[in-house]
Amino acid sequence: GEPTKEEVAAVLGGDATGVSDADAMCVGLALVDAVGLDRLLDSDAFEQMEANSDTSLADLGITLDEAQKAALVDGLHQCGDLRTMLRDGLSADGSIPPEGAACVVDGIDDAMIDRLFVTSIAGGEAALDADPELTDAFVDATIACMQAGVDMGE
């Protein structure tokens, strides 16, 4: 039979670094709600993401319109504090100490945090790299933290 909404959500949310299982499930459900379960099933999202967790919506041929992006952001905000998730995610792989990650996240405005999550979920790493404003926001925040003497792990 078809995978359930929860099974799809678990696969969609499951690859976020530094995110708890509960948060990952919440993110996955927000995504299912924003995109629509039928649309995800039609695109074989479940099978493809199970096979490769780095699969983004763009890889599946799914693009989000502004209304869907807004719905996704609303759903993500219900999952908890995005800044905390981002901070934990940045420091989870050990490349940036928690203090440095907190400083960088503090230096990025709310709209950019929302954009980061939506861009990451919709287009993956490639989309993040292709967004100059997002990259600049991170670079500027990182430089400011380094200049302030915050431990960035380098």
Side-chain angles (χ1 to χ4, degrees), residues 141-153:
T142 303
I143 291 170
C145 293
M146 290 168 78
Q147 287 172 338
V150 176
D151 180 9
M152 301 302 287

Side-chain angles (χ1 to χ4, degrees), residues 59-129:
D59 296 329
L60 301 169
I62 295 174
T63 52
L64 299 179
D65 62 26
E66 290 310 311
Q68 288 169 319
K69 286 179 183 173
L72 179 55
V73 167
D74 286 344
L76 290 173
H77 281 283
Q78 289 170 17
C79 295
D81 181 47
L82 297 186
R83 289 180 176 275
T84 305
M85 278 193 235
L86 180 58
R87 188 188 68 218
D88 294 349
L90 285 174
S91 58
D93 65 359
S95 60
I96 304 179
E99 183 193 352
C103 179
V104 170
V105 172
D106 286 346
I108 298 172
D109 68 33
D110 289 343
M112 219 32 107
I113 299 267
D114 289 348
R115 180 162 159 179
L116 170 86
F117 272 85
V118 171
T119 303
S120 169
I121 291 168
E125 289 289 327
L128 289 175
D129 293 342

Side-chain angles (χ1 to χ4, degrees), residues 39-57:
R39 190 169 171 204
L40 287 164
L41 292 174
D42 289 345
S43 68
D44 290 328
F46 183 73
E47 290 79 6
Q48 291 194 48
M49 289 198 167
E50 245 190 347
N52 176 9
S53 67
D54 289 335
T55 303
S56 69
L57 294 179

